[in-house]
Every structure is written in structure tokens, then in C-alpha cells.
Amino acid sequence: MIILKSKDEIEKMRVSNRMVAEILQELKAAVRPGITTLELDRLAEKKIRQRGAIPAFKGYRGFPASICTSINEEVVHGIPSAKRKLRSGDLLSIDLGVLYDGYYGDSAITVGVGKIDPEGERLLRVTEEALRVGIAQVKEGNFLSDVSHAIQQYVEEHGYNVVRVFVGHGIGTSLHEEPQVPNFGPPGRGPKLRPGMVLAIEPMVNIGSSEVEVLEDQWTVVTVDRKRSAHFEHTVALTENGAEILTCLDSC
Ligand code: MG
Ligand code: MG
């Protein structure tokens, strides 16, 4: 069942999601060659708790950290580690969720560490733009899969592939609610979009094949061909006034 949010609930989600957006920006500013992903995780947890919020991922199905840090061929769900030092040229995805005042916020960015190569730059641009074209389909009367289709089409037009086995999701008083939001599929399917829906839309885009596998740590998702992947996510509310990106700070 898709849970529609009231105006008051969306107001609460503005708060939790803005927090996520702010902390992601602060983490982005801390990304540099030599820092470990565990240091970033500690920083994230500190910033989350300073705001009186709870890290949504910590303990979620046993996940051991506050953020997911996924580098290069890692797609999502990478576990922060003291052994993992960032190097110039890495592509780092940071996924962050918080729970504040009963409502979840969720967003992810992928950033280049130091100086990255042109293909890495292009992958980041295409993935972020795919998220933008998906969000542009969040309109009353559209179908959910119009979002999915727009993302897939944009990504494939640019020669990359979307991951299929992980998808976006509804979000509210639970981190993952219905509906699932795939990044692929034909248009015109699934539920119609209605004011009150809040969706976490999160394309995962691979340079090579869309196939992924999970490493022995039972969490880290990597591309089967070990080519690089990027991930961007926004939480978006559909209101009477149209789509509102709740995890956008100034411009998205
Ligand atoms: Mg996320
Ligand atoms: Mg999510």
C-alpha cells in the first residue's frame, strides 16, 4: 500500500531530508585523497547526532555504519572501513539516511576524489542528469514507470546501463515503503502519481553491463565486470504544487 503524506507530514520530511542534504554537502567537503571511509562515517554519525537525529542505516538489517561508501566498481552498500583510504581518481558514492521526528530522509551523491578522468566525470554527469530527468516525470497524473522509463532511456542513450536488481522506494515513517521505483521499464505502468506521494529516486548507473553481485561481506554490491558505477538519489515529494526535491539545498 502506498502511504500518502499529509501537508504536516511533508513538512516534517522537509526537515529530515534537508538535514540529509546538508550533511552530505559537509561530507563532500571532507572528501580528499588519504581520508578513510571510516573517518567519513564517524564524521557523518557525529553530524547526524548533533542535529538530534538517528542514523537510519546503522543497524538496518545489521548494517554496521551510518553511511554507505561505495568506490569505483562498488555500486551501493559499501561498508566504511579504516583500511579503505581514498585515492585521487576514485569515484566515491556516499549514501546517507536519517530518522528525525518520526520521518526518514534519504539521499546519495557520487563525488570524484582529487582529480578524476574524463570518463569518470562523464559517468557522474550522466547519472546525476538521469536522476533529474526522472524527477521531471514526477507529476500528478503520470504513471510511476514514466519516471523509471525516463531514467533508463537517458542512461542508455548515453551508452551506459542501469542496475536492475536495486531500486528506489517510497519513504516516510519507514525507510523503505511502497512503491518500488525501478530505474528501467516501459512507460505508462504502475500506480498513477498523486499528491502526497514521497519517493526516493536513485539511479545506479554502470559504465559496462548492468549485472551486479554481492561481495563476501554480504553487503557491498559490485559490478560483475568490475567497471565503474555511480549513484545519485533524491527524496522527492509530489505536492499540490508539483514535485519538490526535499534533499535539494539550493539548486539541483
Ligand atoms: Mg539512500
Ligand atoms: Mg534509498
Side-chain angles (χ1 to χ4, degrees):
M1 192 188 65
I2 298 174
I3 302 165
L4 298 178
K5 278 76 184 180
S6 68
K7 285 193 170 121
D8 287 351
E9 289 180 293
I10 288 177
E11 184 52 40
K12 288 188 175 189
M13 294 194 75
R14 281 190 186 103
V15 177
S16 54
N17 280 285
R18 184 168 180 90
M19 218 176 254
V20 169
E22 286 170 358
I23 297 169
L24 275 178
Q25 279 312 302
E26 292 169 12
L27 293 175
K28 183 178 178 177
V31 168
R32 60 175 190 278
I35 196 169
T36 68
T37 51
L38 187 67
E39 288 175 281
L40 289 174
D41 181 64
R42 294 272 154 80
L43 189 61
E45 182 166 0
K46 192 173 118 197
K47 288 174 181 299
I48 293 166
R49 296 199 189 276
Q50 271 172 352
R51 287 166 163 90
I54 296 167
F57 301 166
K58 201 165 192 179
Y60 183 86
R61 296 188 184 169
F63 190 77
S66 296
I67 53 174
C68 301
T69 49
S70 311
I71 303 168
N72 297 332
E73 76 281 4
E74 298 169 359
V75 180
V76 287
H77 305 166
I79 302 173
S81 164
K83 292 183 198 144
R84 201 69 196 269
K85 246 186 203 161
L86 296 179
R87 293 188 297 203
S88 184
D90 283 340
L91 302 183
L92 170 69
S93 152
I94 307 173
D95 196 346
L96 170 71
V98 305
L99 173 62
Y100 183 78
D101 198 15
Y103 288 83
Y104 283 90
D106 190 8
S107 181
I109 55 174
T110 303
V111 298
V113 180
K115 188 167 169 43
I116 63 172
D117 67 358
E119 190 180 48
E121 294 269 13
R122 182 171 186 270
L123 177 65
L124 298 192
R125 261 202 326 272
V126 169
T127 308
E128 193 168 15
E129 187 61 15
L131 173 56
R132 204 191 60 76
V133 304
I135 293 170
Q137 293 300 315
V138 178
K139 295 188 249 199
E140 189 171 357
N142 268 10
F143 291 89
L144 180 69
S145 83
D146 295 338
V147 176
S148 312
H149 181 72
I151 291 170
Q152 180 182 19
Q153 190 174 40
Y154 185 84
V155 168
E156 292 180 356
E157 269 170 18
H158 288 79
Y160 297 147
N161 288 295
V162 293
V163 171
R164 279 146 165 92
V165 293
F166 295 93
V167 297
H169 49 95
I171 177 169
T173 56
S174 300
L175 179 59
H176 297 122
E177 293 182 356
E178 286 183 38
Q180 293 198 342
V181 186
N183 298 300
F184 62 95
R189 308 277 173 89
K192 272 199 173 177
L193 299 179
R194 294 172 56 190
M197 286 185 179
V198 184
L199 304 172
I201 303 171
E202 48 180 317
M204 288 146 259
V205 175
N206 297 350
I207 287 179
S209 131
S210 62
E211 298 300 311
V212 298
E213 61 189 352
V214 180
L215 294 182
E216 279 161 17
D217 65 17
Q218 302 297 318
W219 279 106
T220 310
V221 176
V222 297
T223 56
V224 167
D225 59 17
R226 301 301 191 264
K227 291 185 180 171
R228 290 177 294 176
S229 184
H231 176 216
F232 282 86
E233 175 180 25
H234 275 308
T235 292
V236 181
L238 183 51
T239 74
E240 305 287 349
N241 302 319
E244 180 179 331
I245 305 175
L246 303 184
T247 42
C248 181
L249 281 187
D250 302 312
S251 61
C252 291

